[in-house]
Amino acid sequence: MTRGTVSVMEGSMAVAKAVKACRPAVISAYPITPQTHIIEMLAQMVAQGELEAEYVRADSEFSAASVVAGASATGVRTYTASASQGLLLMTEVLYYLAGARLPVVLTGTNRQVSVPLGLQPDHRDTMSFRDSGVIQLYVENVQEAYDTHLQAFKIAEDHGVLLPTMVCMDGFVLTHVVEPVRILDQVDVDGYLPPYEPVHYLTPERPSVFGSYTDDANTLEFYYLLQQAVLGAKAKVELAARDFRAAFGRSHGGLIDSYGAEDAEVVVIAMGSTVGTLREAVDVLRREGAKVGLIKVRCFRPFPAEEVRQAASGADAVAVVDRAMSFGFQGVLATDVKAALYDAPAANRPVVMGTMAGFGGREVTIDTVREIVKVARQALDGHLPAPDDSNFIGLKPELLPVAGPG
Amino acid sequence: MDKPAVDPYQKMMFAPGHRACPGCGASIAVRLVLEATGPDVIVVSPTGCLETFTSPYPYTPWGVPWLHVLFENAAAVASGVEAALRSRGSSDRVRVIVIGGDGGTYDIGLGALSGMFERGHDVLYVCYNNEAYMNTGVQRSSATPLGTATMTSPATGQAWGEDRPQKDLPAIAMAHQIPYVATASVAFPADLRRKVKQAMAIRGPKYVEVHSPCPIGWGYDAAETVELARLAVNTGLVPLYEAAAGQQLRVRKIQQRLPVTEYLRRQRRFHHLFADANGAHLVSIQSVADGNVNRWALEG
Amino acid sequence: MIEIRIHGRGGQGAVLAAELLVHAAFAEGKFGQAFPAFGGERRGAPVQAFVRLDKSPVRVRYRVYRPDYVVILDRTLPDMIDVLDGLRPDGVVLIDSARPPATLSWSADAPVYAIPATAIAMEVFGQPLVNPAMLGALAAITSEISLLSIQDAFQRRFPGSLGEKNGLAAQMGYDHVLKPDVLPVRVTRSPHVRGVGQASAPDAGLGAPGHPLHFGLVVAPRTSLAYPTGGWRYARPAVDADICNGCGLCVAFCPDSSLTIVEKQAIVDYMYCKGCGICSKVCSRGAIAMMSEEG
């Protein structure tokens, strides 16, 4: 039996309620669409006395991240949220938070990055933090968004982890959707998430110094420790999900989740809100006779290479649905999936096909998935039109200039 | 003479062994500021000389808790520290100060500083002003005075060094109507300590700027740091004053005003001004000092 | 290929010396590279510069760990750092010192030339610009580079009379080495390399010196007490006990927190004092005099 009281609410409200239940001491944010509803609701909760927290209305996303950096170094639980350009503006601070091992939790409400300026969800913004040391969890629906925020604090603040943790949820599709969600009682949340106990923090009683510089004598060792910490977080992501299921009776997966992947010929790998559509597509396509399965990468960093390898290596073909690309190369997730599968025995190493689907906010429907699976089958049969690792699914040729630019 | 038997460093808030250049004005400023605040503070510093010479891992002179995050966000970080102290219920006992250079304050950190002021955080922001980016090798900042030769405002050809007047950051601070703004100098320790104490007695955002000579960047013998700081004040180029809520409170009067050339000729960064036959630029700089004297009524 | 490591102090010209060596070698049709060890160090702090000279282009990109020559621009440096680290068995050391080098602390057995570069510089420039005499001496010791090339390199960098003075100082350093009674002194390894003093023990833990790296780079307070900066000093303040009345003005102005008042007397902690001379200037009674460390 899954716990919590069901009510219908907007995704942003669910996130605000989750954050409130986690009792952050300091919240700081700067408004940007589609993050605004979350921070507005938190501001109201603080103003109405429902949430006892310092709410710092920052002068920029950069300052918002800096405020929570200072607060976290002072030993309290902190929260911020942003999207798109705002996240990019926080970049310098987020790298710092990872290096300084400050367990700030933030929500990345995914939105495309300018130019073109637009509001559509894709993963270019949050995936730009791939190499920062920030833990990233991608959610597929509002319930998972709610539950994962609770888990995020638990993961971030684990004394073996102590890393900033970002919950990534697709803007509008999840932040502005209204749907039923189970909200836990405060006492249940308190039982799951104990108060934050910092290992070191700024206090005159025990003075210490944060933010030193290093040189070639010790920087490599420092990076080694950071890599160990981020890799070590894998077990904690799994543990947080297991504990959550034990306490509340539901799970959205740990590092990954899979659906019909065990006996699938074609496995689709995706992150975020497209995963829900893909679940439906698996059922539809299976009814149509196609042995299709799904792997959800829930934790993008640390990357679950071993888990993906195990879950995908039985398939003949893997199609990766990417909402971010490294221009000049290919989809970001596809690159990682290929790297993970490179270590699989050659005999059960599937063909991997990258697809740019849900990119630029272009929606992924059942038909999109049908097309992806079709292309994957063509790839299997050696009928790929070109060795293209970045199939732009749903591309409108009629919008493209006839000649190239210039 | 040998070291005294009692370890004088046991409780020191700013210990020796840091790596500032000999004669560093900023180091004097930091120690004097901490003497006035006492040990119950958390210090935030932006990137800069102070950060660099006090934090080569694992060596640090700080005897008070100290946090460096980045270059452009010290005021925002301090805002967060202060918010956290409030939430911990220890903001009565523990106070937050920022100590940073002019680059991190006047230029790259100005947005964050303005945010900290207008939100009303209980933070004392101390800017040690050495009038250029010294940590990176002496490039001009918006605090660089008129006529100064730096690596990016060279005096060569027709160029006579920095050709724009200094940004008036204390005035910008005052425009935020914060409860206390003061300018001070490492040449006048008692005055500096008093101003810091005054600031600490007030709740809310405070700004204290400390004029801090830099032997390397300014080009003078390290022994003359204090003398040059004193000359800067006594020529009227660095007015020392206090203000509250946008209104001038009091100024430190100049007993016997000296011509700016007395100050300028002792620094390599101004030598080119004296090679100029008609001395027009020296006249411009003298008029900056005269303007200060008039505006702040520094004489009489 | 020969490899040279130059030890100096910030502001002393080690980097310039390295650069000019490569210019000189290039003028002779050779190849080379010169580069400093980058760090956040400041004026007076120990710095290093590295030089490689070869008949063909130098391709390796790392510091000189096994030098053929070690050039030491300041005779106090062996007390602060291991200047002979990695010196090749047939390596040679040049140090600026008017006195025989045997009294210095060394980490290895090595032939050492003492070059009175400061004395030469004072005679020629009236300032301790030790580079030209040291490089002139190096030209006399190694066949890799000629005196003329070094003099030309100085002349190109400092056209006019300053270049000529540099050329003269280089000649004097060169001539010094060629004097019949000047021979390298074979120094023997000291039992240990001395620090400038026994620094105060810092608080243990939290990434303090000698402890493992802290995962978040958090550091305990006042660990810099284990980093004596007294070796940066060129001149030391000497307090005249009869004149000093312990007013404390010098303490207020000391940038290095190295002055205290004990029983109405200013006490200098030479472990950390960098010798800036501010105390001497601000003392209203003239009780503090600056004495040369060489003296």
Side-chain angles (χ1 to χ4, degrees):
Chain A
M1 173 60 195
T2 170
R3 279 180 89 100
T5 310
V6 185
S7 48
V8 173
M9 68 181 73
E10 193 192 50
S12 295
M13 174 58 103
V15 171
K17 282 182 177 288
V19 171
K20 177 195 161 201
C22 292
R23 305 182 188 271
V26 175
I27 297 167
S28 186
Y30 183 86
I32 183 170
T33 305
Q35 151 263 38
T36 40
H37 290 185
I38 298 173
I39 63 155
E40 288 166 3
M41 289 167 188
L42 284 168
Q44 288 197 12
M45 291 168 179
V46 172
Q48 287 167 359
E50 296 168 25
L51 170 57
E52 232 181 279
E54 297 294 330
Y55 188 102
V56 180
R57 294 173 276 267
D59 44 281
S60 71
E61 289 92 352
F62 187 83
S63 283
S66 303
V67 165
V68 293
S72 186
T74 314
V76 302
R77 182 171 289 164
T78 60
Y79 173 79
T80 186
S82 194
S84 186
Q85 312 304 130
L87 281 172
L88 295 191
L89 191 55
M90 289 182 171
T91 304
E92 205 188 348
V93 187
L94 293 193
Y95 271 73
Y96 178 96
L97 291 173
R101 308 287 296 277
L102 295 174
V104 168
V105 168
L106 68 159
T107 310
T109 55
N110 289 97
R111 171 184 154 187
Q112 75 185 73
V113 172
S114 191
V115 67
L117 191 144
L119 302 174
Q120 301 311 313
D122 64 29
H123 293 168
R124 288 185 72 200
D125 52 358
T126 55
M127 282 179 122
S128 69
F129 297 100
R130 186 187 64 179
D131 303 336
S132 63
V134 173
I135 294 173
Q136 288 198 343
L137 304 166
Y138 287 75
V139 302
E140 65 172 286
N141 57 40
V142 172
Q143 188 66 60
E144 186 179 10
Y146 178 87
D147 295 348
T148 301
H149 277 84
L150 273 51
Q151 296 174 23
F153 282 102
K154 204 172 171 74
I155 296 162
E157 294 169 1
D158 186 291
H159 284 189
V161 177
L162 292 175
L163 287 166
T165 300
M166 183 187 289
V167 180
C168 307
M169 61 190 296
D170 291 328
F172 293 110
V173 177
L174 295 182
T175 55
H176 288 53
V177 71
V178 174
E179 64 186 28
V181 54
R182 283 189 183 272
I183 301 298
L184 293 166
D185 291 342
Q186 184 66 51
V187 62
D188 287 340
V189 176
D190 290 344
Y192 176 75
L193 181 69
Y196 173 43
E197 291 203 13
V199 177
H200 307 293
Y201 62 98
L202 296 162
T203 171
E205 283 150 29
R206 278 166 284 105
S208 51
V209 159
F210 286 64
S212 290
Y213 81 85
T214 63
D215 59 21
D216 57 301
N218 43 21
T219 304
L220 180 66
E221 288 72 18
F222 177 73
Y223 286 166
Y224 178 83
L225 292 177
L226 184 56
Q227 165 73 342
Q228 295 308 306
V230 181
L231 285 178
K234 285 170 76 170
K236 305 299 182 177
V237 172
E238 290 281 6
L239 183 66
R242 266 206 309 279
D243 286 354
F244 194 93
R245 180 160 63 185
F248 309 124
R250 59 179 175 265
S251 172
H252 313 275
L255 292 161
I256 65 168
D257 192 25
S258 67
Y259 186 67
E262 300 75 21
D263 62 341
E265 289 166 8
V266 177
V267 164
V268 183
I269 300 184
M271 303 198 305
S273 64
T274 50
V275 169
T277 307
L278 287 164
R279 287 184 194 273
E280 187 73 18
V282 165
D283 291 346
V284 170
L285 292 173
R286 278 190 173 253
R287 281 201 294 273
E288 294 172 3
K291 288 178 98 175
V292 177
L294 166 69
I295 295 171
K296 168 169 90 168
V297 173
R298 183 164 177 265
C299 180
F300 176 58
R301 282 293 180 276
F303 191 71
E306 177 64 29
E307 291 73 10
V308 167
R309 186 157 60 239
Q310 281 185 7
S313 58
D316 299 324
V318 166
V320 182
V321 174
D322 244 310
R323 305 191 88 174
M325 98 175 302
S326 176
F327 289 104
F329 192 32
Q330 56 184 226
V332 177
L333 182 59
T335 309
D336 286 3
V337 168
K338 286 179 186 175
L341 289 172
Y342 188 82
D343 288 339
N348 32 349
R349 190 188 301 148
V351 171
V352 180
M353 186 188 69
T355 66
M356 302 310 302
F359 192 43
R362 191 66 49 85
E363 292 197 305
V364 174
T365 64
I366 305 281
D367 284 341
T368 317
V369 183
R370 193 175 278 122
E371 190 190 339
I372 289 168
V373 171
K374 193 176 93 188
V375 178
R377 289 202 161 282
Q378 286 172 348
L380 267 182
D381 301 339
H383 296 314
L384 264 186
D388 189 356
D389 278 322
S390 49
N391 301 288
F392 279 68
I393 304 296
L395 194 69
K396 297 175 188 164
E398 66 273 21
L399 290 186
L400 301 175
V402 178
Chain B
M1 209 169 288
D2 283 333
K3 226 175 111 175
V6 179
D7 182 356
Y9 305 125
Q10 216 173 4
K11 300 257 169 191
M12 203 174 248
M13 291 175 280
F14 194 65
H18 64 68
R19 305 188 196 183
C21 301
C24 171
S27 305
I28 302 172
V30 170
R31 193 174 35 71
L32 293 172
V33 166
L34 290 176
E35 282 171 14
T37 63
D40 290 328
V41 289
I42 292 172
V43 181
V44 177
S45 289
T47 307
C49 276
L50 177 62
E51 169 263 326
T52 307
F53 74 69
T54 63
S55 71
Y57 187 87
Y59 299 98
T60 186
W62 296 102
V64 290
W66 180 81
L67 172 64
H68 160 245
V69 177
L70 297 163
F71 200 0
E72 63 275 53
N73 65 356
V77 171
S79 302
V81 172
E82 186 250 6
L85 290 175
R86 259 187 284 136
S87 81
R88 294 182 82 97
S90 51
S91 57
D92 286 342
R93 209 163 30 79
V94 183
R95 309 290 292 283
V96 185
I97 61 176
V98 177
I99 310 180
D102 49 290
T105 306
Y106 276 63
D107 288 343
I108 199 168
L110 184 59
L113 181 62
S114 176
M116 184 198 99
F117 284 159
E118 63 88 7
R119 288 190 302 266
H121 292 278
D122 182 28
V123 176
L124 166 61
Y125 194 109
V126 178
C127 171
Y128 66 90
N129 185 357
N130 55 26
E131 303 180 336
Y133 290 92
M134 300 315 187
N135 190 42
T136 42
V138 195
Q139 298 85 18
R140 67 80 74 181
S141 75
S142 61
T144 299
L146 198 62
T148 307
T150 71
M151 298 305 280
T152 52
S153 61
T156 180
Q158 292 298 304
W160 59 291
E162 175 61 37
D163 59 0
R164 297 286 306 153
Q166 279 170 301
K167 184 189 283 182
D168 190 351
L169 190 56
I172 295 172
M174 285 162 66
H176 286 78
Q177 305 294 315
I178 60 175
Y180 189 72
V181 173
T183 57
S185 164
V186 295
F188 303 99
D191 180 70
L192 169 55
R193 288 197 204 97
R194 182 185 64 75
K195 285 168 176 167
V196 171
K197 283 206 164 96
Q198 174 73 29
M200 294 298 280
I202 301 166
R203 291 280 161 173
K206 288 85 56 175
Y207 181 75
V208 173
E209 178 158 317
V210 188
H211 192 240
S212 309
C214 166
I216 314 297
W218 295 12
Y220 66 85
D221 186 89
E224 294 178 3
T225 293
V226 173
E227 229 167 315
L228 276 167
R230 192 175 294 132
L231 279 170
V233 172
N234 288 338
T235 52
L237 283 172
V238 173
L240 301 188
Y241 56 85
E242 293 165 273
Q247 298 301 311
Q248 177 177 339
L249 289 180
R250 55 196 270 190
V251 299
R252 184 187 173 90
K253 298 281 186 188
I254 301 172
Q255 299 309 318
Q256 193 179 10
R257 184 146 80 101
L258 298 167
V260 293
T261 49
E262 293 297 302
Y263 170 67
L264 303 176
R265 71 168 73 253
R266 299 177 65 165
Q267 305 169 57
R268 199 171 52 238
R269 63 176 176 157
F270 296 120
H271 275 181
H272 59 283
L273 301 175
F274 292 90
D276 177 23
N278 68 20
H281 299 318
L282 291 173
V283 173
S284 307
I285 296 171
Q286 183 61 56
S287 68
V288 170
D290 296 345
N292 285 338
V293 170
N294 287 335
R295 177 179 168 195
W296 298 103
L298 296 175
E299 281 182 322
Chain C
M1 178 160 65
I2 65 160
E3 299 185 293
I4 304 167
R5 190 171 65 220
I6 303 175
H7 290 272
R9 300 217 252 155
Q12 207 171 26
V15 178
L16 177 65
E19 191 182 325
L20 291 182
L21 274 175
V22 175
H23 280 288
F26 186 71
E28 290 181 8
K30 295 193 179 107
F31 294 91
Q33 64 175 196
F35 60 100
F38 298 104
E41 297 296 6
R42 303 282 141 175
R43 176 156 296 195
V47 296
Q48 296 176 27
F50 310 101
V51 181
R52 288 189 177 91
L53 304 177
D54 204 353
K55 289 189 287 294
S56 51
V58 178
R59 296 181 296 191
V60 297
R61 300 286 167 195
Y62 50 81
R63 296 174 196 176
V64 169
Y65 294 102
R66 302 278 289 147
D68 299 285
Y69 297 94
V70 169
V71 178
I72 307 161
L73 301 183
D74 190 299
R75 75 167 187 85
T76 62
L77 287 169
D79 285 336
M80 300 166 66
I81 49 170
D82 188 358
V83 288
L84 267 47
D85 185 35
L87 182 71
R88 289 181 183 280
D90 56 347
V92 176
V93 180
L94 287 78
I95 185 165
D96 167 37
S97 175
R99 290 184 293 191
T103 52
L104 303 171
S105 357
W106 304 102
S107 60
D109 295 353
V112 177
Y113 282 94
I115 314 298
T118 299
I120 291 171
M122 293 311 285
E123 188 183 329
V124 175
F125 303 102
Q127 292 179 63
L129 306 172
V130 296
N131 270 342
M134 292 301 285
L135 294 190
L138 181 67
I141 292 163
T142 171
S143 56
E144 298 290 334
I145 203 144
S146 75
L147 173 66
L148 193 62
S149 307
I150 285 174
Q151 288 174 314
D152 284 350
F154 273 107
Q155 187 65 50
R156 281 194 301 275
R157 177 56 60 95
F158 306 108
S161 66
L162 186 55
E164 281 161 30
K165 281 184 180 174
N166 275 283
L168 174 63
Q171 180 78 51
M172 290 166 76
Y174 183 86
D175 291 345
H176 175 80
V177 171
L178 295 186
K179 282 181 196 162
D181 58 330
V182 172
L183 292 167
V185 177
R186 185 102 200 151
V187 300
T188 48
R189 191 175 194 277
S190 305
H192 54 87
V193 177
R194 275 184 294 135
V196 278
Q198 192 58 50
S200 301
D203 302 26
L206 278 188
H211 289 256
L213 197 65
H214 185 274
F215 66 89
L217 292 186
V218 180
V219 179
R222 291 177 287 264
T223 51
S224 66
L225 290 170
Y227 189 84
T229 47
W232 297 19
R233 202 168 51 232
Y234 291 102
R236 64 168 53 206
V239 183
D240 187 326
D242 293 335
I243 306 177
C244 174
N245 66 351
C247 74
L249 203 54
C250 54
V251 178
F253 288 117
C254 177
D256 292 296
S257 310
S258 300
L259 277 155
T260 41
I261 302 295
V262 178
E263 292 167 5
K264 300 206 166 182
Q265 282 288 310
I267 311 281
V268 182
D269 191 338
Y270 294 112
M271 188 119 63
Y272 305 107
C273 165
K274 295 173 189 150
C276 67
I278 289 177
C279 53
S280 170
K281 286 270 183 191
V282 300
C283 179
S284 54
R285 298 168 67 92
I288 304 176
M290 297 305 290
M291 320 287 277
S292 170
E293 285 287 344
E294 281 285 335

